[in-house]
Amino acid sequence: MAQHFLLSAKARTLSLRSIFAAGEDAAYATFCELRWPETNGEPVCPRCGCLDAYSITSRRKFKCAGCQHQYSVTSGTILASRKMAFVDLLAAVCILVNAAKGISALQLARDLDCQHKTAFVLAHKLREALASEADGAVLNGEVEIDGAYFGGHIRPANLKADRVDRRRAVNQNGKRRVVIALRQRKGRTLTFIGMHEPKGVEIARTVVAKGSTIVADEAAHWDVLPADFATQRINHSEAYSFNGVSTNQVESFFARLRRMVEGQHHHVSPQYLHQYAAHAAWMEDHRRLDNGALAHRVVGLAMAHSVSRNWKGYWQR
Ligand SMILES: [Zn+2]
């Protein structure tokens, strides 16, 4: 029997041991190479594009020979104003990509020996960077669509006599959201957050190319899809897969996200649910890459991503 990819040595190309053994200079060089791939890591002024720079080695900064602007490898990126050592940043990325169901900020803080606040913002910046990989993506071919509800759990009262019908809107707390996922077979997974699953119809019209086939379950709000797409339906009260029709791939994604939210984070704010959903989608789409390639991809995306409006100075507000 063929060995599963994740069990093979090919899946393990990066370790914390190798990151720390190579040290701070090597980690710094990795960030330079991924920030400036077109010059093999030689600095390029972010203000004027000049290739001539004086190196202020002691502070790991550069001074542009053209416009005198001082900058560092992370200036203008989502990791700007970082205080953490590059070796720790690289270790954080390694830990993040090794965690198939994500990692909580508390756990990351213990691994890195940093404050919870630091780990929380760093992980969210990395999630924002990797979500940007799917910006503007359009799906085509065969696309599975489904929604799943997250959050807004109401704890039942202790005494049975005090319990309420938790399905009724008046008894809910307004924190429940639906994650709508569209997963192209042999392609990307895109995620969206809404209050109700029927919103998925509008989303499908914007992110799925004309001429694609959409596979959905029996929920009535998908009944309008055939107006725009070739459509296949699977009735889950009868079968999960019938005559080759299923939404199993998008369900696999939800299994990962469900375990991420409930088993790893335990609680996520509806405000940030989109970041966890995008993180799980990214992990799902790149599940066959080795962890070294994943880490490189995350650092590359972070170095190509501009300063985050959501996360810059988060704790200073
Ligand atoms: Zn310059």
Side-chain angles (χ1 to χ4, degrees), residues 180-215:
I180 293 157
L182 297 98
R183 185 165 187 189
Q184 178 183 334
R185 290 182 187 161
K186 299 194 172 103
R188 257 189 197 294
T189 308
L190 301 183
T191 55
F192 301 86
I193 309 298
M195 296 299 288
H196 304 289
E197 191 178 344
K199 189 188 171 196
V201 174
E202 264 322 300
I203 293 166
R205 287 181 186 136
T206 48
V207 301
V208 181
K210 290 263 174 291
S212 307
T213 300
I214 295 192
V215 190

Side-chain angles (χ1 to χ4, degrees), residues 123-279:
H124 270 307
K125 284 178 175 173
L126 294 174
R127 283 185 197 106
E128 185 175 326
L130 51 85
S132 69
E133 198 182 75
D135 282 352
V138 172
L139 306 182
N140 50 55
E142 294 176 314
V143 179
E144 299 179 10
I145 189 169
D146 199 12
Y149 285 88
F150 287 83
H153 175 71
I154 310 289
R155 185 178 299 188
N158 177 36
L159 293 176
K160 193 179 177 198
D162 297 337
R163 288 180 202 161
V164 295
D165 185 348
R166 293 182 289 159
R167 293 166 300 182
R168 295 186 61 202
V170 287
N171 293 327
Q172 291 186 355
N173 61 9
K175 290 186 178 171
R176 202 167 81 122
R177 296 288 182 279
V178 65
V179 175
I180 293 157
L182 297 98
R183 185 165 187 189
Q184 178 183 334
R185 290 182 187 161
K186 299 194 172 103
R188 257 189 197 294
T189 308
L190 301 183
T191 55
F192 301 86
I193 309 298
M195 296 299 288
H196 304 289
E197 191 178 344
K199 189 188 171 196
V201 174
E202 264 322 300
I203 293 166
R205 287 181 186 136
T206 48
V207 301
V208 181
K210 290 263 174 291
S212 307
T213 300
I214 295 192
V215 190
D217 63 20
E218 73 283 5
H221 48 260
W222 305 128
D223 288 351
V224 298
L225 285 172
D228 297 282
F229 303 98
T231 309
Q232 296 178 339
R233 305 291 289 275
I234 175 77
N235 187 339
H236 284 160
S237 66
E238 290 166 9
Y240 294 116
S241 173
F242 196 73
N243 288 336
V245 178
S246 81
T247 52
N248 288 350
Q249 296 196 22
V250 75
E251 303 291 356
S252 290
F253 159 74
F254 280 125
R256 186 188 295 258
L257 181 60
R258 184 72 65 196
R259 287 167 180 137
M260 179 185 278
V261 169
E262 289 175 7
Q264 183 56 226
H265 297 291
H266 299 175
H267 168 82
V268 305
S269 155
Q271 192 184 352
Y272 303 129
L273 181 58
H274 69 284
Q275 297 229 140
Y276 299 103
H279 181 189

Side-chain angles (χ1 to χ4, degrees), residues 5-7 9 30 43 49 75 88 92 110 115-116 122 146 165-166 168 184 186-187 219 230 258 288 316:
F5 168 69
L6 291 176
L7 294 173
T30 302
S75 291
D88 289 333
R110 286 191 290 264
Q115 283 188 48
H116 166 259
L122 174 60
D146 199 12
D165 185 348
R166 293 182 289 159
R168 295 186 61 202
Q184 178 183 334
K186 299 194 172 103
R258 184 72 65 196
R288 291 304 177 96
Q316 275 91 53

Side-chain angles (χ1 to χ4, degrees), residues 44-52 63-69 71:
V44 180
C45 175
R47 187 170 288 176
C48 72
C50 179
L51 296 172
D52 249 346
K63 186 172 180 182
C64 174
C67 75
Q68 313 294 312
H69 177 55
Y71 59 95

